[in-house]
């Protein structure tokens, strides 16, 4: 009788669970309390909610896979969902990298404060609707692209002042992509490409003098301990080479249409939450820096004018580089088309005042139009 009662209880418990419950591991490589880490929790919650608990996503912060391991690790099935930084694998994601490299375009816009919101919408829009080469790159890596997010504007975090553009000369500067390398070299600095999780140690050990980073990374990686000076909005631009919720293609194709729809819904939330979190944390990071005695330099027009001049000239250089070095045949065409998409998104996100506003725009204008029955199949 005891055996029969126990079996009945187990059977009852089994029928109380969702019939198709699946657990997905999400490797994002950032600290749990960072802008990305918090957004990853939002993503997991929204996916579970939308799927009726059929899918449960477990974020892994700075574990399972590092940022530099996530691309191949996701491809090989070590994670089910991954936060892939395309500039870390330029050969595999050359066309996607081109869209990131145009991020310095935000320095030329007139609408200040919405640069990140607009770029996150534009790069996802173009990847999904205007860039079959980007989709082919993700497919070749056994991945399905379901969205992005971008940082706030890039500045300099240094061990000595950079208050005018000439102060960059001779400094060893951590860069995050070929465009930032060209920027550093143009102003006579020494570019040192480094993954973000190696920057603290490099500054601490004197391997580099400055790092190109968004201000929230002061908090995310505790850069307060190793910098004395922060220069805002130079080089400007932002980090946009983010495929934030890529899904292993084998996993994706094993899900139901409803489960794939839940991941797309979650992708829209991740894009909005990550981007909003970075922008929101910027003021907090600057305030904390000042409280800790770190000098914060706001560039004047004499510093910003040569930066804008560099951006305008570099757009022409970039076309040649991506065509000859990365073999992106449509470089000139993409370089002409993408700014038009970005301008449209500047109009769409004007007046955004909350994460909820941003997510609704991303969903209505873009993510809701992805067909989960056919996309990635």
């Amino acid at each position: 009788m005891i055996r029969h009662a126990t079996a009945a209880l187990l059977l009852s418990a089994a029928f109380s669970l969702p019939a198709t419950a699946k657990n997905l591991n999400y490797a994002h490589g950032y600290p749990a309390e960072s802008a990305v880490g918090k957004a990853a929790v939002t993503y997991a919650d929204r996916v579970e909610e939308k799927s009726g608990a059929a899918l449960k996503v477990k974020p892994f912060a700075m574990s399972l896979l590092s940022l530099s391991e996530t691309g191949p690790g996701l491809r090989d099935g070590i994670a089910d969902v991954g936060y892939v930084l395309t500039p870390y694998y330029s050969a595999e994601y050359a066309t996607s990298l081109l869209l990131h490299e145009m991020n310095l375009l935000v320095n030329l816009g007139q609408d200040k404060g919405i640069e990140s919101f607009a770029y996150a919408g534009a790069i996802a829009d173009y990847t999904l609707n205007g860039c079959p080469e980007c989709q082919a790159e993700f497919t070749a890596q056994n991945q399905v692209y379901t969205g992005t997010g971008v940082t706030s504007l890039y500045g300099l975090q240094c061990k000595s002042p950079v208050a005018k553009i000439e102060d960059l000369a001779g400094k060893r500067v951590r860069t995050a992509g070929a465009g930032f390398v060209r920027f550093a070299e143009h102003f006579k600095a020494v570019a040192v490409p480094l993954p973000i999780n190696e920057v603290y140690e490099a500054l601490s050990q004197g391997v580099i003098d400055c790092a190109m980073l968004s201000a929230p990374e002061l908090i995310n990686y505790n850069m307060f301990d190793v910098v004395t000076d922060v220069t805002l909005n130079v080089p400007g631009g932002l980090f946009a080479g983010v495929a934030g919720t890529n899904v292993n293609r084998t996993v994706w194709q094993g899900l139901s249409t409803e489960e794939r729809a839940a991941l797309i819904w979650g992708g829209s939330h991740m894009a909005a939450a990550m981007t909003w979190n970075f922008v929101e944390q910027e003021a907090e990071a600057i305030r904390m820096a000042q409280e800790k005695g770190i000098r914060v330099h706001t560039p004047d027009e004499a510093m910003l004018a040569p930066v804008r001049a560099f951006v305008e000239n570099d757009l022409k250089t970039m076309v040649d580089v991506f065509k000859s070095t990365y073999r992106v045949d449509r470089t000139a065409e993409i370089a002409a088309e993408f700014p038009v998409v970005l301008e449209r998104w500047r109009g769409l996100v004007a007046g955004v005042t909350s994460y909820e506003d941003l997510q609704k725009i991303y969903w209505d204008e873009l993510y809701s139009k992805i067909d989960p029955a056919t996309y990635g199949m």
Side-chain angles (χ1 to χ4, degrees):
M1 289 178 63
I2 292 172
R3 283 201 306 274
H4 290 167
T6 301
L9 285 170
L10 291 172
L11 188 61
S12 175
F15 277 111
S16 70
L17 295 173
T20 58
K22 299 180 180 72
N23 296 314
L24 303 181
N25 295 331
Y26 179 24
H28 64 73
Y30 263 75
E33 293 303 310
S34 67
V36 173
K38 291 178 179 179
V41 173
T42 299
Y43 170 74
D45 289 345
R46 297 292 81 79
V47 169
E48 181 172 351
E49 178 183 73
K50 191 72 171 178
S51 70
L55 292 178
K56 295 192 176 184
V57 177
K58 179 177 175 56
F60 283 81
M62 300 186 75
S63 61
L64 185 60
L65 293 167
S66 70
L67 287 169
S68 59
E69 295 169 337
T70 304
L74 180 61
R75 176 198 64 205
D76 296 341
I78 297 172
D80 304 306
V81 186
Y83 185 89
V84 177
L85 300 183
T86 55
Y88 285 16
Y89 323 93
S90 57
E92 288 83 358
Y93 308 105
T95 318
S96 299
L97 178 61
L98 172 59
L99 298 179
H100 161 64
E101 288 292 308
M102 286 191 281
N103 72 83
L104 286 166
L105 280 169
V106 301
N107 292 5
L108 307 179
Q110 299 303 310
D111 298 320
K112 301 304 178 185
I114 63 168
E115 299 96 335
S116 300
F117 306 150
Y119 211 93
I123 195 170
D125 190 344
Y126 198 84
T127 299
L128 289 164
N129 299 313
C131 188
E133 301 95 330
C134 299
Q135 294 287 1
E137 288 166 359
F138 291 124
T139 298
Q141 296 302 309
N142 195 34
Q143 299 169 22
V144 177
Y145 175 90
T146 65
T148 187
V150 305
T151 68
S152 54
L153 296 188
Y154 260 38
L156 296 165
Q157 299 175 19
C158 301
K159 299 168 71 69
S160 61
V162 178
K164 54 186 186 297
I165 202 69
E166 293 80 8
D167 291 337
L168 272 171
K171 283 187 167 56
R172 294 160 298 177
V173 181
R174 179 266 177 174
T175 55
F180 289 118
V181 170
R182 292 192 298 274
F183 179 94
E185 292 176 346
H186 178 80
F187 292 107
K188 299 181 170 55
V190 178
V192 183
L194 279 176
I196 191 170
N197 52 352
E198 296 179 17
V199 173
Y200 181 100
E201 189 67 20
L203 282 165
S204 177
Q205 297 297 321
V207 174
I208 57 176
D209 303 304
C210 292
M212 293 180 183
L213 293 169
S214 63
E217 306 299 15
L218 287 162
I219 299 172
N220 296 338
Y221 289 94
N222 201 30
M223 298 297 179
F224 300 116
D225 291 346
V226 292
V227 303
T228 61
D229 292 80
V230 171
T231 304
L232 303 176
N233 300 341
V234 174
L238 36 75
F239 193 93
V242 177
T245 50
N246 272 18
V247 183
N248 174 278
R249 191 176 184 83
T250 305
V251 170
W252 176 267
Q253 293 182 344
L255 300 175
S256 68
T257 299
E258 294 74 18
E259 289 163 347
R260 292 193 293 271
L263 289 173
I264 295 167
W265 171 251
S268 74
H269 280 273
M270 180 67 184
M274 174 198 157
T275 306
W276 180 266
N277 289 351
F278 263 103
V279 172
E280 191 175 51
Q281 280 187 0
E282 178 145 344
E284 180 186 2
I286 293 167
R287 177 186 59 78
M288 290 176 66
Q290 291 171 326
E291 287 178 353
K292 292 175 183 292
I294 294 171
R295 294 179 291 265
V296 177
H297 308 278
T298 301
D300 58 14
E301 180 58 21
M303 193 173 190
L304 291 175
V307 170
R308 290 195 298 270
F310 165 81
V311 173
E312 290 169 350
N313 288 326
D314 189 63
L315 290 173
K316 303 168 190 172
T317 302
M318 185 179 59
V319 170
D320 294 335
V321 168
F322 271 83
K323 193 167 184 63
S324 61
T325 303
Y326 295 104
R327 308 296 183 192
V328 177
D329 292 335
R330 279 203 315 127
T331 296
E333 183 180 340
I334 293 169
E337 290 176 349
F338 181 74
V340 177
V341 177
L342 178 59
E343 191 60 33
R344 172 176 174 266
W345 276 92
R346 284 191 178 115
L348 288 171
V349 301
V352 163
T353 59
S354 69
Y355 146 71
E356 289 81 8
D357 285 350
L358 190 59
Q359 186 275 333
K360 186 176 188 306
I361 292 168
Y362 288 165
W363 178 254
D364 290 347
E365 294 290 333
L366 183 59
Y367 291 84
S368 66
K369 299 175 183 179
I370 302 172
D371 182 3
T374 59
Y375 181 68
M377 303 300 287

